[in-house]
C-alpha cells in the first residue's frame, strides 16, 4: 500500500496489517492508503481475512473499510458460502501454523502449495443447502455483533469526552427504573 498513499482531498482508508487484524480494528495511528484502490484489495465488514505470514490468523473483519496489506489474503468464493470456507480454513490452521514454524528462520509463513494441498470435502448440493441454512445465520450474527460492538465503541469514544467535560448535559434525563417484580 506504500505505492497508494492518499492524495490531496482524499481521506483515504486505513491499511489493514497483521497487527490490526489481531486487534480487530484499525487505530488512529494506522497507515492510510488511497480510497480508490482496487476492490480486490479493499476489505469490508464481513470479509474473511487470512494472515499467511508472521502470525497466522483467520478472522471475519469487522473494523470498517480498509486497504489490504501484504501478507494478508481476502478469502472469497463465488461457489461456496463464507461459513464453509471459514470452517475448512480453520480446520487446516494447526497444520499451517506448524508449517510456518518449520520455515521460521526470520518470519514464518506458509507457501501457496500448502493451501493447494489442503483437502476439502464438499457435500452434495442438498446437504450443503441444509447446512448453510443452519450455519450461515450463525456466522452472519457473529459478524453483525462484532460490527455493532465496534460502532458502540466509536459512539462511546465520541460521547464520553463530551459527557465528562459537561458539553452534553444529562442532568434532566430520566432513566427507566427496573421492576423487582417476578411474574
Amino acid at each position: 500500500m506504500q505505492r497508494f498513499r492518499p492524495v490531496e482531498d482524499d481521506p483515504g482508508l486505513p491499511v489493514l496489517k497483521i497487527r490490526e487484524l489481531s486487534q480487530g480494528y484499525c487505530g488512529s495511528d494506522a497507515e492510510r492508503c488511497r480510497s480508490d484502490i482496487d476492490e480486490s484489495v479493499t476489505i469490508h465488514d464481513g470479509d474473511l481475512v487470512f494472515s499467511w505470514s508472521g502470525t497466522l490468523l483467520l478472522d471475519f473483519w469487522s473494523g470498517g473499510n480498509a486497504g489490504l496489506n501484504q501478507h494478508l489474503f481476502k478469502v472469497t468464493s463465488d461457489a461456496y458460502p463464507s461459513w464453509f470456507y471459514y470452517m475448512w480454513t480453520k480446520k487446516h490452521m494447526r497444520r499451517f501454523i506448524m508449517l510456518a514454524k518449520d520455515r521460521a528462520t526470520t518470519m514464518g509463513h506458509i507457501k501457496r502449495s500448502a493451501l493447494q494441498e489442503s483437502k476439502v470435502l464438499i457435500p452434495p448440493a442438498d446437504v450443503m443447502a441444509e447446512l448453510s441454512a443452519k450455519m450461515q445465520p450463525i456466522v452472519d450474527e457473529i459478524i453483525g455483533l462484532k460490527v455493532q460492538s465496534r460502532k458502540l465503541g466509536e459512539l462511546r469514544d465520541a460521547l464520553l469526552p463530551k459527557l465528562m467535560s459537561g458539553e452534553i448535559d444529562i442532568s434532566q434525563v430520566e432513566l427507566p427504573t427496573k421492576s423487582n417484580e417476578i411474574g
Side-chain angles (χ1 to χ4, degrees):
M1 289 295 161
Q2 292 178 1
R3 296 180 296 148
F4 302 102
R5 298 277 186 219
V7 293
E8 192 175 319
D9 297 330
D10 178 11
L13 295 172
V15 176
L16 176 60
K17 296 182 177 184
I18 294 170
R19 178 186 77 161
E20 287 78 13
L21 181 61
S22 66
Q23 68 189 15
Y25 64 92
C26 292
S28 59
D29 62 338
E31 285 186 43
R32 300 197 71 81
C33 63
R34 290 194 332 237
S35 57
D36 65 349
I37 57 174
D38 192 80
E39 185 61 30
S40 66
V41 290
T42 302
I43 298 298
H44 305 282
D45 288 336
D47 284 344
L48 185 59
V49 181
F50 176 54
S51 164
W52 60 271
S53 181
T55 304
L56 272 65
L57 301 168
L58 178 70
D59 202 3
F60 286 103
W61 180 245
S62 61
N65 294 345
L68 185 65
N69 202 41
Q70 63 184 6
H71 305 298
L72 299 174
F73 287 135
K74 177 167 48 170
V75 184
T76 64
S77 174
D78 292 331
Y80 300 101
S82 62
W83 73 266
F84 185 74
Y85 53 83
Y86 168 76
M87 297 300 283
W88 275 105
T89 308
K90 191 81 169 160
K91 179 191 180 326
H92 291 290
M93 282 298 285
R94 184 178 303 141
R95 183 173 58 86
F96 294 158
I97 290 168
M98 289 174 40
L99 289 170
K101 283 183 181 176
D102 288 345
R103 301 183 54 80
T105 52
T106 55
M107 181 168 60
H109 65 278
I110 61 169
K111 291 182 173 182
R112 188 175 295 268
S113 61
L115 299 172
Q116 292 168 331
E117 294 165 1
S118 300
K119 302 278 188 224
V120 174
L121 302 176
I122 300 171
D126 60 328
V127 174
M128 178 67 86
E130 186 178 326
L131 289 170
S132 291
K134 294 176 183 173
M135 297 296 291
Q136 195 62 50
I138 295 169
V139 168
D140 293 343
E141 181 74 9
I142 290 168
I143 294 166
L145 290 171
K146 289 173 68 173
V147 170
Q148 184 178 29
S149 178
R150 181 195 86 226
K151 290 181 178 181
L152 288 170
E154 291 169 355
L155 183 60
R156 175 205 59 220
D157 293 346
L159 289 176
L160 192 57
K162 295 177 184 217
L163 289 167
M164 297 301 288
S165 70
E167 185 179 338
I168 297 177
D169 179 16
I170 61 167
S171 62
Q172 303 300 317
V173 174
E174 289 188 36
L175 298 175
T177 57
K178 283 188 172 180
S179 173
N180 290 333
E181 297 176 17
I182 299 175

